[in-house]
Amino acid sequence: MSKETKFKPSASFVKQSAFPSLARYKSMHRESVKNPKKFWDRLAKEELDWFAEPKKVLEWKEPFSKWFGGGKLNVSFNCLDRHLQSGRRHKAAIIFEGEPGDIRVLTYQQLHDEVCRLANALKGEGVKPGDRVMIYLPMIPEAAIAMLACARIGAVHSVVFGGFSAESLKDRILDCGAKLVITSDGGYRRGQVVGLKQNVDQAVASCPEVRRVIVLKRTGHIEKLNEVDRWWHDLVKDQPADCPPEKLDSEHPLFILYTSGSTGKPKGILHTTGGYLLGAHLTTKWVFDLKKTDLFWCTADVGWVTGHSYVVYGALSNGTTTLMYEGAPNQPEPDRFWSIIERHRVTVFYTAPTAIRAFIRWGDHWVKKHDLSSLRLLGSVGEPINPEAWLWYHRVIGGGRCPIVDTWWQTETGSHMITTLPGAHMMKPGSAGLPFFGVDVAVVDDQGKELKPGTQGKLVIRKPWPSMLRTIHGDPERYAKQYWSEVPGTYFTGDGARMDKDGYFWVIGRMDDVLNVSGHRLGTAEVESALVTHPAVAEAAVVGRPDDLKGQAVVAFVTLKSGQKAGSELVAALREQVSKEIGPIAKPDQIRFAEALPKTRSGKIMRRLLKEVAAGGAVKGDVTTLEDLNVIAALQSSSGEES
Ligand code: PRX
């Protein structure tokens, strides 16, 4: 299909929207980038509740920013207490559906009380402002409660996705120096109990600094706790439902979230209080065009940044009702999501292209069984959405009447950076759209020169923005080098993109050694180091291969130590090794054995070549053929193509 196909939001949508015209967006965007301090100062004061108003909007010493200096606030106060005074006290804050079908509703008052009880319990355990707390929970309300309880007392949370292994959890606990872990006995996924507690036990065994593990009872299959463990319900039962929120500096750290980079282990992205909250709050409000009556469902797990900014902080600071679902989209049947939308009357639905492609595969008949007429707006996030998936989403899920916002952003950006504003902008399937307010993005060449519309280059951000990451936890040099040295004077996103003549951005994907598998970021270096921990492996190189469903699939090229035998048993063992080191999401889709890996004369692995081999390879599945990559490398070298 033509890339220039445009869709207009319907007149009735435009009429009720906060930004009903392109002209309004344009003038406000112009103002926001021309005079960002004035723009953000006004919004910070209008939209957030401060104990002390900020005095200095921005202090910028590239690459380090401080926003809203002198301001004091508390994120949990903004997400809870302020709604108790505003008529939302008894409104549902969270509607939760567990995979087995259990439903719970927490009003703002009830959520406030639960958060305060846990906050008091954390204080009782000696947690002080600035201390790090690990959260390793399923998608249940307690995940949000734990995050908000930390925010309330100024503790810095680090949520680890429940699909990560004990080893990954251990690395993160050690890197951020957490002394307390919050987990559950398990959660439900695909009809099974996922045993989170065993992973915590294993991780904590190598983390002597951890002095307490709080265990929520969710599945009830654990009876005995270890010495370091306490039941959540025991710790909170006598705690008062009131805990005064700490008055925190705007730059007080709020959370550390680990994400994959192109080198080494995942890095701890640090977000702070005022700027992050303003970004999450405003994008939720305007990009999803929130109304008082909305039921907002973002399907992301709280272990990812999308869960942080849109399931929890952005939704609750706006006083909206956020829906949380614990389990898999095809449990018990492939229509679970549609039955949830129908049952609860979800109005705004936000999910990932990889999920949409799975829904397409499962068939329209699953959708047709349900009444989705409550939906009024759809969102997409995590990877480029192919136009075919966009059109299906628009027609089959949105009934042709719901605009789609395709939101481009990153763990590091904290909130949406490029997206259409649903009432103001035309939509172009496959393009994320236009920059959000205050965001100055451009496509540039290696020297930082802005490229003409239509030309592909590096996607950069040229001005600081409130919800930007502040640093990599414990490694400011890596932060400066990783993001601010590639294109001088700008933040390099790692993505390649082009801008069209209307100023719409078309994100192509990562330019670095980061894969995007089902919308999840994975560093090739991480998977490689997991593979070489296996005693049979001499060397490993991991690349991405285009995949119809997942966006990218993981292909590993492996050379073996002498005397080791390639075969399907070893393939299974290597996949298991990666699952153990990182988590099941990182398991290679294909493992290919080679005599040697193709290298440049300076010894660098020729990834471009491997990508071509992986993409064009006729071999499918877990093959165990031995590939003579030397020959290809020699050919490639002689034609001067070195990566
Ligand atoms: O490559 C871009 C892709 O996901 C990367 C960020 O991944 P992560 O930090 O895990 O955050 C995912 C959720 C925000 C980006 O560098 N990406 C994210 N959203 C889009 C996207 N690519 C194209 N279109 C999007 N809407």
Side-chain angles (χ1 to χ4, degrees), residues 259 304-306 380-385 406-412 418 432 493-495 507 509-510 516 519-521:
T259 190
W304 310 109
V305 73
T306 310
S380 172
V381 61
E383 55 185 311
I385 180 165
D406 175 0
T407 59
W408 178 90
W409 60 297
Q410 309 178 296
T411 307
E412 292 87 342
I418 303 174
T493 62
D495 280 6
V507 177
R510 303 290 306 195
N516 192 328
H520 299 149
R521 245 163 99 163

